[in-house]
Amino acid sequence: MARVLIIFDTQEGQTEKIASRMSELAVQAGHQPEAYDVDHLPKNLQIEPYDAVFVGGSIHMAKHSPRLEQFVL
Protein backbone atom coordinates (compact mmCIF):
# COMPACT_ATOMS: atom_id res chain seq x y z
CA MET A 1 0.00 0.00 0.00
CA ALA A 2 1.37 3.41 -0.97
CA ARG A 3 0.66 6.73 0.69
CA VAL A 4 -0.47 9.16 -2.00
CA LEU A 5 -0.68 12.93 -1.62
CA ILE A 6 -2.91 14.88 -4.01
CA ILE A 7 -2.70 18.68 -3.97
CA PHE A 8 -5.06 20.63 -6.18
CA ASP A 9 -6.20 24.14 -6.95
CA THR A 10 -9.56 24.70 -8.57
CA GLN A 11 -11.39 27.74 -9.81
CA GLU A 12 -14.58 26.23 -11.18
CA GLY A 13 -14.55 22.89 -9.38
CA GLN A 14 -13.36 20.63 -12.19
CA THR A 15 -9.87 20.04 -10.81
CA GLU A 16 -11.42 19.16 -7.45
CA LYS A 17 -13.57 16.55 -9.17
CA ILE A 18 -10.48 15.09 -10.84
CA ALA A 19 -8.62 14.97 -7.50
CA SER A 20 -11.62 13.27 -5.89
CA ARG A 21 -11.74 10.65 -8.64
CA MET A 22 -7.99 10.07 -8.32
CA SER A 23 -8.52 9.46 -4.59
CA GLU A 24 -11.29 6.97 -5.29
CA LEU A 25 -9.13 5.07 -7.78
CA ALA A 26 -6.20 5.02 -5.37
CA VAL A 27 -8.41 3.51 -2.66
CA GLN A 28 -9.71 0.90 -5.10
CA ALA A 29 -6.10 0.01 -5.93
CA GLY A 30 -5.37 -0.50 -2.23
CA HIS A 31 -3.52 2.76 -1.59
CA GLN A 32 -3.98 5.43 1.06
CA PRO A 33 -4.68 8.82 -0.59
CA GLU A 34 -4.93 12.23 1.03
CA ALA A 35 -6.27 15.09 -1.11
CA TYR A 36 -6.07 18.75 -0.18
CA ASP A 37 -7.06 22.01 -1.78
CA VAL A 38 -3.93 24.16 -1.87
CA ASP A 39 -5.85 26.80 0.14
CA HIS A 40 -6.55 24.32 2.96
CA LEU A 41 -3.30 22.46 3.50
CA PRO A 42 -2.55 21.12 6.96
CA LYS A 43 -0.01 23.14 8.89
CA ASN A 44 3.53 21.78 8.57
CA LEU A 45 2.62 19.41 5.72
CA GLN A 46 5.65 17.29 4.87
CA ILE A 47 5.78 15.45 1.54
CA GLU A 48 8.62 13.10 2.46
CA PRO A 49 6.39 10.43 4.08
CA TYR A 50 4.42 9.98 0.84
CA ASP A 51 5.28 7.47 -1.84
CA ALA A 52 3.70 9.57 -4.60
CA VAL A 53 2.66 13.21 -4.92
CA PHE A 54 0.29 14.57 -7.55
CA VAL A 55 -0.22 18.29 -8.09
CA GLY A 56 -2.99 19.60 -10.34
CA GLY A 57 -4.54 22.92 -11.10
CA SER A 58 -6.52 24.93 -13.57
CA ILE A 59 -4.73 26.76 -16.34
CA HIS A 60 -6.09 30.16 -17.29
CA MET A 61 -4.39 32.34 -19.88
CA ALA A 62 -1.49 29.84 -20.00
CA LYS A 63 -0.80 30.09 -16.25
CA HIS A 64 -1.52 28.23 -13.05
CA SER A 65 -2.77 30.17 -10.06
CA PRO A 66 -0.16 32.02 -7.99
CA ARG A 67 -1.10 30.03 -4.86
CA LEU A 68 -0.40 26.72 -6.61
CA GLU A 69 2.86 28.03 -8.03
CA GLN A 70 3.86 29.14 -4.52
CA PHE A 71 3.20 25.67 -3.14
CA VAL A 72 5.33 24.03 -5.83
CA LEU A 73 8.18 26.47 -5.35
Side-chain angles (χ1 to χ4, degrees):
M1 171 177 23
R3 289 189 67 197
V4 179
L5 177 63
I6 303 168
I7 304 294
F8 65 91
D9 179 50
T10 191
Q11 293 187 10
E12 297 175 7
Q14 295 305 311
T15 309
E16 183 175 11
K17 289 179 185 177
I18 292 166
S20 177
R21 182 65 177 143
M22 289 174 67
S23 291
E24 291 171 8
L25 293 172
V27 168
Q28 290 174 11
H31 302 298
Q32 182 183 4
E34 294 179 38
Y36 299 104
D37 185 313
V38 74
D39 287 336
H40 304 287
L41 295 174
K43 297 231 186 264
N44 302 320
L45 176 69
Q46 300 292 317
I47 60 173
E48 290 82 10
Y50 295 93
D51 301 299
V53 178
F54 295 92
V55 179
S58 311
I59 300 174
H60 290 277
M61 298 181 69
K63 294 188 177 212
H64 289 287
S65 74
R67 59 188 173 255
L68 187 63
E69 288 180 5
Q70 183 64 36
F71 170 78
V72 171
L73 296 176

